[in-house]
Amino acid sequence: TIRTVRTNVVIWCPLRSSDDTMVRTVLIVAAIAPAVAFVANQPVVAPRASSQTVVMAELVGATPPLNGFDPLKFSAGATEAQMAKYRECELKHGRIAMAAMLGAFVEPKFHPLAESCHVTAVDDPIKAGYELNFAGKCQILAFCAGVEFVTYKMKEGDKYRPGDVLGAAYFLEDETDEQWVSYQEKELNNGRLAMLAIMGYFAQYAVAGTYDDLLFKPLLK
């Protein structure tokens, strides 16, 4: 789970061979930073301005085998309001990580905008990020700003739930419905897996300079 709320923006520039050290440094930081922000889940019920502490066993997402995803124990003694904030961060970073991993798999095979964006390193998502022109970066930031604005407006409602950007909670009659809880748990667990995956992706690229399979592919030769 990611606790970080602040958004860090890296200004990308065209990659040159002399930039390898800088690239690896940035990737190491990107891979390590999320690790200090893992946090557990929050209740399904709406967060209240309460000092009551949250019990791990009562949280949505406390599924086997971990039965509570909180490696650094941020949830210890946390109130409902604090856990709601942590859940907001967890869902946001999990969704970003899932999108990032999807892009890492799809971009090397399918990138219809590469030519118009002046991207030549289509088979390397990291270098492609450096090559993306200023207009492309602005479009990405504008999209992120749009999502943040929608989230901000959704929070004005009395039934808002952490991470509920589309307002699904406003159409629910029973928040303890088995299918709804199952959906939330699937999103949380896939997001957690994606966060670990993207950190490993960045770490390997920073250390080895490649995202290719270094474990199993050599065994098959």
Side-chain angles (χ1 to χ4, degrees), residues 136-147:
K137 296 180 179 65
C138 287
Q139 291 175 32
I140 294 174
L141 292 176
F143 174 78
C144 294
V147 173

Side-chain angles (χ1 to χ4, degrees), residues 204 212-221:
Q204 177 179 310
D212 202 7
D213 179 11
L214 300 179
L215 180 61
F216 295 104
K217 185 176 289 187
L219 298 177
L220 299 176
K221 291 183 178 180

Side-chain angles (χ1 to χ4, degrees), residues 80-151:
E80 289 188 21
Q82 290 172 322
M83 294 304 293
K85 180 180 179 181
Y86 295 161
R87 170 51 57 82
E88 186 98 37
C89 298
E90 178 180 27
L91 284 169
K92 180 179 294 185
H93 286 81
R95 290 163 180 169
I96 293 172
M98 287 189 283
M101 286 308 304
L102 178 63
F105 285 116
V106 173
E107 181 182 319
K109 305 296 183 181
F110 180 72
H111 197 326
L113 301 178
E115 184 176 353
S116 61
C117 293
H118 308 288
V119 173
T120 59
V122 179
D123 59 341
D124 190 327
I126 303 298
K127 291 183 179 179
Y130 271 85
E131 291 183 348
L132 183 64
N133 57 31
F134 180 74
K137 296 180 179 65
C138 287
Q139 291 175 32
I140 294 174
L141 292 176
F143 174 78
C144 294
V147 173
E148 291 296 325
F149 176 77
V150 171
T151 303

Side-chain angles (χ1 to χ4, degrees), residues 44 60 87 175 180-189:
V44 178
V60 172
R87 170 51 57 82
E175 293 186 24
W180 174 240
V181 173
S182 175
Y183 171 82
Q184 293 179 83
E185 291 178 340
K186 289 175 182 178
E187 180 180 26
L188 285 166
N189 288 331

Side-chain angles (χ1 to χ4, degrees), residues 26 41 58 85 151 170-171 186 188 195 197 208:
V26 171
N41 320 305
E58 299 176 355
K85 180 180 179 181
T151 303
Y170 290 86
F171 303 96
K186 289 175 182 178
L188 285 166
M195 286 188 281

Side-chain angles (χ1 to χ4, degrees), residues 5-204:
V5 179
R6 181 179 58 192
T7 302
N8 297 319
V9 179
V10 178
I11 303 301
W12 299 91
C13 59
L15 182 66
R16 302 183 301 273
S17 59
S18 61
D19 292 330
D20 287 346
T21 301
M22 180 184 68
V23 174
R24 296 192 179 195
T25 301
V26 171
L27 292 176
I28 290 173
V29 173
I32 294 177
V36 301
F38 284 120
V39 70
N41 320 305
Q42 119 273 332
V44 178
V45 297
R48 300 184 300 273
S50 169
S51 60
Q52 181 181 0
T53 56
V54 176
V55 180
M56 287 287 292
E58 299 176 355
L59 306 179
V60 172
T63 57
L66 298 178
N67 296 319
F69 188 71
D70 187 13
L72 299 183
K73 307 301 180 184
F74 282 112
S75 63
T79 64
E80 289 188 21
Q82 290 172 322
M83 294 304 293
K85 180 180 179 181
Y86 295 161
R87 170 51 57 82
E88 186 98 37
C89 298
E90 178 180 27
L91 284 169
K92 180 179 294 185
H93 286 81
R95 290 163 180 169
I96 293 172
M98 287 189 283
M101 286 308 304
L102 178 63
F105 285 116
V106 173
E107 181 182 319
K109 305 296 183 181
F110 180 72
H111 197 326
L113 301 178
E115 184 176 353
S116 61
C117 293
H118 308 288
V119 173
T120 59
V122 179
D123 59 341
D124 190 327
I126 303 298
K127 291 183 179 179
Y130 271 85
E131 291 183 348
L132 183 64
N133 57 31
F134 180 74
K137 296 180 179 65
C138 287
Q139 291 175 32
I140 294 174
L141 292 176
F143 174 78
C144 294
V147 173
E148 291 296 325
F149 176 77
V150 171
T151 303
Y152 177 80
K153 299 299 290 185
M154 289 298 299
K155 287 182 179 180
E156 296 178 353
D158 57 353
K159 295 187 65 176
Y160 175 76
R161 299 295 181 270
D164 187 13
V165 180
L166 299 179
Y170 290 86
F171 303 96
L172 289 174
E173 296 182 0
D174 181 11
E175 293 186 24
T176 62
D177 178 76
E178 184 177 348
Q179 289 186 332
W180 174 240
V181 173
S182 175
Y183 171 82
Q184 293 179 83
E185 291 178 340
K186 289 175 182 178
E187 180 180 26
L188 285 166
N189 288 331
N190 280 283
R192 292 161 181 169
L193 179 61
M195 286 188 281
L196 293 174
I198 198 65
M199 284 192 291
Y201 185 95
F202 284 152
Q204 177 179 310

